[in-house]
Amino acid sequence: MATALAKSDDRTDVTHAARIGHVSKSFGGPAGQLVLDDITLDVAPGEFVTLLGASGCGKSTLLNLVAGLDAPSSGTIATPGGRPALMFQEHALFPWLTAGKNIELALRLRGVPKADRRDEAQRLLALVRLDGAYAKRVHELSGGMRQRVALARALAQDSQLLLMDEPFAALDAITRDVLHDELTRIWRETSVSVLFVTHNVREAVRLAERVVLLSSRPGRVAREWTVDIPHPRRIEDSAVAELSVEITEQLRGEIRRHGQH
């Protein structure tokens, strides 16, 4: 089947931040391993969606396809608001640059005039609550601070869609909890759309408006939940815990069904 990969820079279509239509992905040619199978998923403008599933189900593969880092074997992907910004589990900051200069690099690639970059970098650092960190080197920052800079750099791309691949997985529980609050605040302040990959059920429920569960390989959309729990949410809230238990049971069922342990 022919591949159709649509990437548009036309920001006039505001009906969707991303449209994923019947996307499949195989590695190793036509007879290779099927990783994703017939995925159809839309992300609305300003929506926060979490992708949840067992390790190896294709969550990160799907994110890479939406980011344009790879092409689907079949199906279509459209991001009408332009190229998405991508944030990884590792901060991927350049250690020879300061926090501010890391952000300015993204601004330069976006075409922001040199005279405006420092002020914009400082504004973004303030947005992620890192006022005064402009001149700090990467080795001077804690793990949580590095991820804040990475988030500011992603926001510097001025994308309508932010793709996040387990960005808090390597952090300790307290730092992760704080960054959940910060990400929620920034999402609500900026109205950016977010597609967030995680294997942590409570993280998915705490953050998202909608949780999408992928089956084990090949990844298919197994079920979706709308999360109506009002903000602010806490990881220990009874409503978060209750929905997390329900989703966890579904996830366990998918793992058992596909013989994974």
Side-chain angles (χ1 to χ4, degrees):
M1 186 181 298
T3 297
L5 179 59
K7 292 289 178 181
S8 170
D9 288 327
D10 179 8
R11 292 187 176 231
T12 61
D13 182 355
V14 295
T15 58
H16 294 89
R19 304 207 75 173
I20 302 167
H22 300 288
V23 163
S24 297
K25 179 64 178 178
S26 298
F27 291 104
Q33 185 178 33
L34 182 64
V35 177
L36 296 172
D37 184 26
D38 197 27
I39 299 284
T40 294
L41 177 66
D42 291 341
V43 180
E47 187 179 21
F48 198 128
V49 177
T50 51
L51 279 176
L52 184 67
S55 296
C57 73
K59 303 184 298 296
S60 295
T61 298
L62 182 58
L63 215 65
N64 288 338
L65 296 178
V66 178
L69 300 179
D70 199 356
S73 301
S74 62
T76 60
I77 298 175
T79 54
R83 181 175 291 277
L86 182 59
M87 183 177 172
F88 300 98
Q89 180 175 337
E90 296 296 328
H91 57 77
L93 299 174
F94 295 109
W96 58 88
L97 296 178
T98 66
K101 291 297 184 182
N102 267 281
I103 297 168
E104 284 190 34
L105 179 59
L107 295 171
R108 186 179 77 182
L109 294 174
R110 197 183 100 201
V112 174
K114 184 176 182 179
D116 299 331
R117 290 176 203 156
R118 185 183 182 98
D119 285 346
E120 179 63 5
Q122 289 178 324
R123 184 190 72 81
L124 289 165
L125 284 169
L127 179 64
V128 298
R129 301 197 193 278
L130 280 180
D131 306 71
Y134 179 93
K136 289 187 178 295
R137 301 276 179 178
V138 174
H139 73 271
E140 298 179 278
L141 304 173
S142 67
M145 293 170 72
R146 292 173 186 176
Q147 286 301 78
R148 288 172 188 257
V149 176
L151 177 57
R153 183 180 59 184
L155 295 171
Q157 298 175 47
D158 195 30
S159 300
Q160 294 188 347
L161 176 62
L162 176 58
L163 308 175
M164 309 185 78
D165 192 359
E166 302 195 64
F168 308 140
L171 303 176
D172 65 85
I174 297 299
T175 302
R176 188 165 61 245
D177 187 62
V178 170
L179 288 180
H180 285 162
D181 285 341
E182 292 300 301
L183 177 59
T184 300
R185 174 184 59 82
I186 290 166
W187 163 63
R188 299 182 78 177
E189 287 181 7
T190 62
S191 298
V192 67
S193 305
V194 180
L195 185 57
F196 187 107
V197 162
T198 182
H199 64 271
N200 185 311
V201 177
R202 286 214 182 192
E203 179 174 65
V205 174
R206 179 178 181 181
L207 292 173
E209 293 182 290
R210 183 159 52 109
V211 176
V212 178
L213 175 64
L214 296 187
S215 65
S216 295
R217 189 169 294 191
R220 303 182 180 99
V221 175
R223 187 172 167 184
E224 299 184 14
W225 290 263
T226 298
V227 185
D228 293 324
I229 304 167
H231 288 282
R233 298 175 192 160
R234 306 298 306 169
I235 205 84
E236 66 273 11
D237 287 347
S238 59
V240 171
E242 183 177 343
L243 183 54
S244 297
V245 168
E246 177 184 336
I247 296 174
T248 298
E249 284 304 308
Q250 291 286 323
L251 176 57
R252 286 174 177 163
E254 289 298 325
I255 294 172
R256 287 194 296 269
R257 186 173 297 115
H258 292 268
Q260 293 193 5
H261 302 285

